[in-house]
Amino acid sequence: MAFADYEVLISKDAMTVYKFLMDGTNNSLWRPGVRSVALQSGVLGENGAVYKQTVAGPAGRPIAADFQITEARPGAEIRFNVVAGPARPTGGYFLSTEGAMTRLRFALEYHPKGLQKLMNSMVQKTMESEVAQLEQLKTVIESRPAD
C-alpha cells in the first residue's frame, strides 16, 4: 500500500475552498502536471461527477487519470476515485475551519494488486509530490478575489 498526505492553512473560508475543489476543471490551475481536464459526465461540481483528465507521466508521456467525485460534504470533505490510468488511488480533501481560515488536508491511498505492486515505490513518490502541490493551491486560492 502507498499513502501520502499533506496539509496547509488557507486564508479563505471553507466554502470558498470547497467550491474551488469541487470544480475538477480547476485542477490545471494548481497542479502543473495536469495537461487537460474536462467534465465527462454528471454535473460540474457535484457528487458523482466524472472528470476526464490527462496528466504528464514519465518522460512527459500523457497518461489518463480520470476521476469521479464519490462523496461530498459541503465545506467539510470531498472524496474521489481515480477511474482511469495505470495507478488508481482513492483520495480526499478534508477541510476544517480555524477562525477565518481553512485547514485543508489532501490524502491519497493506493492498494496495488498483482504485478502493480512492482510500481509501489514509484507510485509512492508520485503521490507525495501530488499532495505537496497543496502549496500551489493555497497560492492560487488566496490570490483570487472574494466571491
Side-chain angles (χ1 to χ4, degrees):
M1 179 186 91
F3 178 82
D5 72 336
Y6 196 88
E7 195 173 281
V8 293
L9 194 58
I10 300 174
S11 296
K12 294 283 184 171
D13 66 276
M15 281 307 292
T16 297
V17 176
Y18 175 84
K19 288 176 185 175
F20 183 88
L21 289 168
M22 277 299 286
D23 181 350
T25 63
N26 285 331
N27 279 358
S28 61
L29 299 176
W30 64 279
R31 294 180 50 218
V34 174
R35 290 189 169 172
S36 66
V37 61
L39 181 67
Q40 183 174 6
S41 65
V43 178
L44 186 83
E46 289 194 12
N47 193 24
V50 176
Y51 294 89
K52 183 168 185 60
Q53 180 175 252
T54 302
V55 298
R61 199 176 86 243
I63 294 177
D66 303 355
F67 65 97
Q68 179 176 24
I69 305 295
T70 58
E71 187 176 337
R73 292 188 310 125
E77 180 178 3
I78 302 166
R79 291 183 183 262
F80 62 89
N81 291 336
V82 175
V83 296
R88 298 184 184 190
T90 59
Y93 300 101
F94 307 92
L95 301 89
S96 60
T97 300
E98 293 190 15
M101 302 175 86
T102 301
R103 182 164 302 280
L104 175 64
R105 185 172 72 91
F106 179 18
L108 290 170
E109 189 171 317
Y110 175 63
H111 295 275
K113 294 176 175 77
L115 291 176
Q116 291 177 332
K117 291 179 181 177
L118 299 174
M119 296 186 340
N120 200 54
S121 66
M122 182 179 70
V123 170
Q124 178 70 42
K125 288 177 186 170
T126 300
M127 287 176 26
E128 289 170 0
S129 173
E130 283 293 318
V131 297
Q133 290 176 30
L134 275 191
E135 294 294 342
Q136 180 64 23
L137 174 78
K138 173 182 169 64
T139 300
V140 169
I141 290 180
E142 289 180 346
S143 68
R144 296 171 67 90
D147 293 337

